[in-house]
Amino acid sequence: MDTINPNQGYYQPAWQPPMGQGVGMVGKASYYAQQYQGRPTASGEPYNMYDMTAAHRDLPFGTLLRVTNLQTGRFVIVRVNDRGPSKPGRIVDVSWAAALELGLVQHGSADVQVEIVR
């Protein structure tokens, strides 16, 4: 369903999965941390590296994702509140807290599967 909020001045069309994406996206994930702490995200909320959040290029803000590290099997549930990742070849950027749980902090990135929870 389309979202119209005249009080905040935005229109968000109902989400349609981009071609080649949807449930079971597989690719590289990375994270962002201290240097972005407190800065506004694309959704307008301040970035908090201790929250379980993520940046995705296309999914609507508020979408919950299950991100699974394919090497370790560890997973987290994150909420999309930002746009990105900016590096080519990455499908999602997660917060520092999510990266810590996934085991990404040491290496900086990992192969992951991303599934839409809701």
Side-chain angles (χ1 to χ4, degrees), residues 24-31 66-76 88-94 98-99 101-115:
M25 294 175 274
V26 175
K28 286 271 187 211
S30 52
Y31 74 98
R66 177 182 167 135
V67 180
T68 304
N69 183 329
L70 295 176
Q71 185 175 3
T72 65
R74 296 168 74 175
F75 71 91
V76 295
R90 309 273 169 93
I91 62 169
V92 68
D93 271 342
V94 297
E101 291 292 318
L102 288 168
L104 299 183
V105 174
Q106 184 176 2
H107 300 290
S109 67
D111 292 324
V112 297
Q113 180 174 6
V114 177
E115 299 169 276

Side-chain angles (χ1 to χ4, degrees), residues 8-105:
Q8 293 185 353
Y10 71 82
Y11 166 77
Q12 182 171 342
W15 181 75
Q16 299 292 322
M19 292 297 287
Q21 293 188 356
V23 176
M25 294 175 274
V26 175
K28 286 271 187 211
S30 52
Y31 74 98
Y32 53 123
Q34 187 69 35
Q35 69 272 28
Y36 297 102
Q37 182 69 7
R39 291 185 184 180
T41 62
S43 67
E45 68 183 82
Y47 173 69
N48 184 339
M49 63 189 259
Y50 304 108
D51 287 345
M52 299 298 276
T53 57
H56 191 276
R57 287 184 187 91
D58 305 309
L59 295 174
F61 299 135
T63 301
L64 296 181
L65 303 175
R66 177 182 167 135
V67 180
T68 304
N69 183 329
L70 295 176
Q71 185 175 3
T72 65
R74 296 168 74 175
F75 71 91
V76 295
I77 305 294
V78 293
R79 178 178 51 85
V80 175
N81 73 337
D82 205 0
R83 293 291 174 229
S86 57
K87 287 194 175 183
R90 309 273 169 93
I91 62 169
V92 68
D93 271 342
V94 297
S95 65
W96 179 84
L100 191 62
E101 291 292 318
L102 288 168
L104 299 183
V105 174

